[in-house]
Amino acid sequence: MALKTVNLKPKVGTELQAPREEFLSGEHGGKIRDLLEERAVLIIRGCNFNDEEQLQFARGLGDIQALGGKQIFKISLDPVANPGAAEYLKGSLLWHIDGAMDLVPSRGSILTARQLPATKEGNTETCNTYAAFQDMPLEEQKKLESLRVVHTMAASQRRTYPDATEEQKKDWERYEPKIHPLIWTHKSGRKSIVSGVSADYIEGMDIEEGRALLKKLDDFVTQDQYVYSHEWVLGDLLIWDNTVSLHRAAPYDPYCGRLMHRCTLIGEEAVA
Ligand SMILES: [Fe+2]
């Protein structure tokens, strides 16, 4: 059977429809990967995959990252349900790219909803920076393509912890800053914007001027027309392409019970 697709918004987000076993067999993997890069975020409603099925589906799209031997991670802001990781995940409420300080950021991630609050908070939001860049005037595109951005841990954290202690600040400094081109030209020819919360300043530009430009850019790419905000229903699956998008979780009460299971596809190309 063919894979059926329904675009959720004109410039971002597509729902995939096929029998459950076809998603698990990997037969639509190639098509899904292509769609992912173009549409930035894909949804399968109500597939109710368990961990093993989620991994099986993911293997049809690429290699899976294992950290500490684990391929499935629990995403919850609740420090009791998710000891050790809840603090770190607070940063996920701001627009960002995963692994922005890596040479090869992850290709994407796959989330399944396992517990949801009755309050309907905590949408997962993705903006398509490939589509946003395409919509910019040529002259503006050219200007942006010449810029390089310094990504730092301090930039990633300071908005979440405006009253950080000296100890916290020292800890952020331990991470080596990473310089990326502002515009990522992919092997496929697509161009996307590498910005978000980790983008601290623009190389060779006055710091405040560079930050103002980065803010303007993030405001542009997160306009409603480029953003798909997924209101979760239990059993849904969402995939975002980390290489052509920014993403965030809309704010939610850490104790509301929201729990996602996530696996991550290993990155395939360096930012260039
Ligand atoms: Fe993230």
Side-chain angles (χ1 to χ4, degrees):
M1 210 177 126
L3 177 70
K4 200 175 160 219
T5 60
V6 180
N7 286 350
L8 299 164
K9 287 178 87 169
K11 292 176 193 264
V12 59
T14 294
E15 180 182 340
L16 307 175
Q17 296 175 354
R20 199 173 185 276
E21 54 277 16
E22 290 187 14
F23 285 124
L24 290 173
S25 74
E27 64 189 270
H28 299 306
K31 177 91 196 290
I32 293 174
R33 280 172 54 89
D34 290 346
L35 265 175
L36 190 58
E37 192 175 324
E38 185 187 337
R39 306 289 303 165
V41 54
L42 305 175
I43 303 292
I44 304 173
R45 296 191 200 274
C47 59
N48 281 301
F49 287 163
N50 63 29
D51 285 353
E52 195 36 58
E53 289 167 331
Q54 184 170 343
L55 291 171
Q56 192 179 329
F57 170 73
R59 280 184 214 110
L61 303 180
D63 293 331
I64 302 165
Q65 209 170 57
L67 287 172
K70 277 200 313 190
Q71 292 185 313
I72 292 276
F73 286 84
K74 290 183 180 177
I75 306 291
S76 163
L77 290 182
D78 184 339
V80 179
N82 204 15
E87 272 302 300
Y88 170 76
L89 286 170
K90 279 185 187 167
S92 66
L93 301 176
L94 301 168
W95 289 108
H96 67 282
I97 286 172
D98 293 332
M101 295 179 56
D102 300 337
L103 177 63
V104 183
S106 64
R107 169 71 205 269
S109 283
I110 298 168
L111 284 182
T112 52
R114 300 307 177 93
Q115 283 174 46
L116 290 172
T119 48
K120 296 214 174 278
E121 57 198 317
N123 279 17
T124 295
E125 304 191 318
T126 311
C127 73
N128 188 339
T129 70
Y130 153 67
F133 185 72
Q134 266 194 322
D135 282 353
M136 288 180 177
L138 256 183
E139 217 169 280
E140 178 75 6
Q141 289 185 348
K142 280 220 174 82
K143 193 181 110 191
L144 296 178
E145 280 186 80
S146 67
L147 302 176
R148 298 191 345 140
V149 177
V150 182
H151 294 257
T152 67
M153 184 56 80
S156 291
Q157 299 295 321
R158 69 168 78 98
R159 278 200 257 161
T160 306
Y161 300 101
D163 302 316
T165 62
E166 284 311 309
E167 198 182 335
Q168 273 175 304
K169 288 181 190 169
K170 243 191 216 158
D171 186 53
W172 301 342
E173 297 306 323
R174 289 193 304 113
Y175 295 83
E176 188 75 18
K178 183 79 196 166
I179 302 176
H180 286 307
L182 176 58
I183 306 304
W184 181 351
T185 304
H186 298 252
K187 285 180 186 153
S188 63
R190 286 188 205 285
K191 293 180 187 221
S192 60
I193 301 167
V194 183
S195 58
V197 69
S198 60
D200 200 346
Y201 57 94
I202 294 176
E203 195 183 45
M205 194 182 280
D206 171 77
I207 296 244
E208 291 313 318
E209 195 185 330
R211 283 183 180 161
L213 194 153
L214 289 166
K215 159 93 173 59
K216 203 174 130 199
L217 200 56
D218 278 357
D219 288 346
F220 181 81
V221 302
T222 56
Q223 291 177 94
D224 184 65
Q225 59 178 320
Y226 304 119
V227 175
Y228 173 68
S229 180
H230 187 62
E231 192 177 303
W232 287 96
V233 172
L234 216 56
D236 284 356
L237 177 147
L238 178 150
I239 322 165
W240 74 81
D241 189 312
N242 189 50
T243 71
V244 296
S245 69
L246 301 176
H247 63 274
R248 70 173 179 184
Y252 59 95
D253 173 2
Y255 299 100
C256 70
R258 184 187 190 270
L259 174 68
M260 303 282 153
H261 282 198
R262 165 181 170 163
C263 64
T264 296
L265 300 169
I266 292 174
E268 297 161 4
E269 58 178 283
V271 182

